[in-house]
Amino acid sequence: MSGRLVIAGLGPGAGALVTPEVSAALSEATDVVGYIPYVARVAPRPGLTLHASDNRVELDRARHALEMACAGRSVVVVSSGDPGVFAMAAAVFEAAEAGPAAWRALDIRVLPGITAMLAAAARAGAPLGHDFCAINLSDNLKPWPLIEKRLRLAAEADFAMAFYNPRSKARPEGFAKTLNILQETCRDARPVIFARAVSTPEEEIRVVPLDRCTPEMADMRTMVIVGASTTRVIPREGAPFVYTPRSVPA
Ligand code: SAH
């Protein structure tokens, strides 16, 4: 029997935001592999083995999935959001490239999901309507000076910016430094969106002017979207709409 490996995105949290293609792959799987809270989102059923592992073991988890697929299992590796955005898909290909040739001959498919950045942007309006970039603020897998360089250059180029992994208990100072850099470089009150636990019962959306942002406004469940200089706020009763116009005047 020939196995296969699907790398699937579960979306930001709500069941309605899991694509039908991902649900179908899960219903056919013999094994689901992933970080504990993501595997917990997959309903158990007879014939399905759930392999939940801790964070920071991405490559071990990827190798385990490849081994099982090679042995004939139908394996789904799950990530939250989209599996290609700061998640398991790249880890699987990294393991496949370095591993036995049989791993590269496998049927491997990546099924996209709704990434946190897009779910958060949609809640606020259309802050990513013009050019933007996405930056992972965690320095677990890259040196901090590189993050600073990218932040400064992106701010200078006037991109809107979406930040993943803005702040954790283990690295509280990174996001404080990020805000200092942006406040120094941008010198304005452009809107910043703090979108926490989007599409879950704990969802919370705040829009705060850049000069009034403070580090504790974000945690690991927060997506932070910083507007460009052209980003607009439409105040109204309740949460404002935030959007970035399609055009920049010449
Ligand atoms: N592959 C995922 C991202 C993994 S990195 C994706 O495409 O969405 C994990 C980070 O994503 C978190 O620290 C947080 O910044 C963001 N995130 C994930 N789910 C979120 C949600 N429901 N609401 C807000 N941010 C979320």
Side-chain angles (χ1 to χ4, degrees):
M1 185 182 129
S2 67
R4 64 184 193 129
L5 181 54
V6 168
I7 311 156
L10 297 176
L17 299 182
V18 179
T19 69
E21 180 180 55
V22 168
S23 300
L26 289 170
S27 71
E28 289 162 13
T30 58
D31 298 84
V32 168
V33 175
Y35 175 40
I36 300 158
Y38 307 152
V39 171
R41 285 168 56 188
V42 178
R45 62 172 162 77
L48 175 67
T49 309
L50 300 174
H51 307 265
S53 46
D54 203 351
N55 219 352
R56 296 192 184 222
V57 293
E58 284 192 351
L59 278 175
D60 291 343
R61 191 190 291 147
R63 285 189 282 262
H64 182 214
L66 285 157
E67 272 162 16
M68 287 194 292
C70 243
R73 314 281 296 176
S74 184
V75 183
V76 178
V77 176
V78 289
S79 285
S80 75
D82 181 273
V85 178
F86 309 132
M88 281 306 293
V92 169
F93 289 115
E94 195 177 331
E97 186 180 19
W103 287 3
R104 291 182 289 284
L106 276 170
D107 174 12
I108 303 180
R109 283 189 305 141
V110 181
L111 306 185
I114 296 176
T115 189
M117 170 180 75
L118 298 183
R123 282 290 191 268
L128 307 177
H130 194 75
D131 297 345
F132 64 89
C133 65
I135 301 177
N136 182 350
L137 290 186
S138 165
D139 61 356
N140 283 344
L141 300 172
K142 61 187 165 186
W144 177 260
L146 180 63
I147 300 178
E148 279 201 11
K149 179 178 176 187
R150 288 179 177 164
L151 282 170
R152 285 185 202 283
L153 292 174
E156 205 177 299
D158 202 13
F159 284 112
M161 290 173 237
F163 298 144
Y164 288 79
N165 296 308
R167 185 163 176 263
S168 76
K169 289 197 189 92
R171 13 167 224 95
E173 62 307 314
F175 188 57
K177 286 190 210 158
T178 298
L179 287 178
N180 283 338
I181 290 169
L182 295 178
Q183 284 161 347
E184 263 170 34
T185 316
C186 303
R187 300 189 167 280
D188 59 15
R190 67 187 60 195
V192 178
I193 298 152
F194 292 89
R196 184 169 190 279
V198 175
S199 88
T200 78
E202 295 83 49
E203 176 175 303
E204 237 179 291
I205 314 284
R206 290 175 75 180
V207 179
V208 182
L210 176 58
D211 56 346
R212 300 231 302 269
C213 290
T214 54
E216 67 287 347
M217 290 177 181
D219 66 7
M220 277 308 274
R221 296 190 73 192
T222 309
M223 181 79 223
V224 181
I225 299 181
V226 181
S229 66
T230 51
T231 302
R232 316 262 321 147
V233 176
I234 307 178
R236 58 182 193 128
E237 192 101 345
F241 291 129
V242 181
Y243 79 101
T244 306
R246 301 291 317 284
S247 57
V248 169

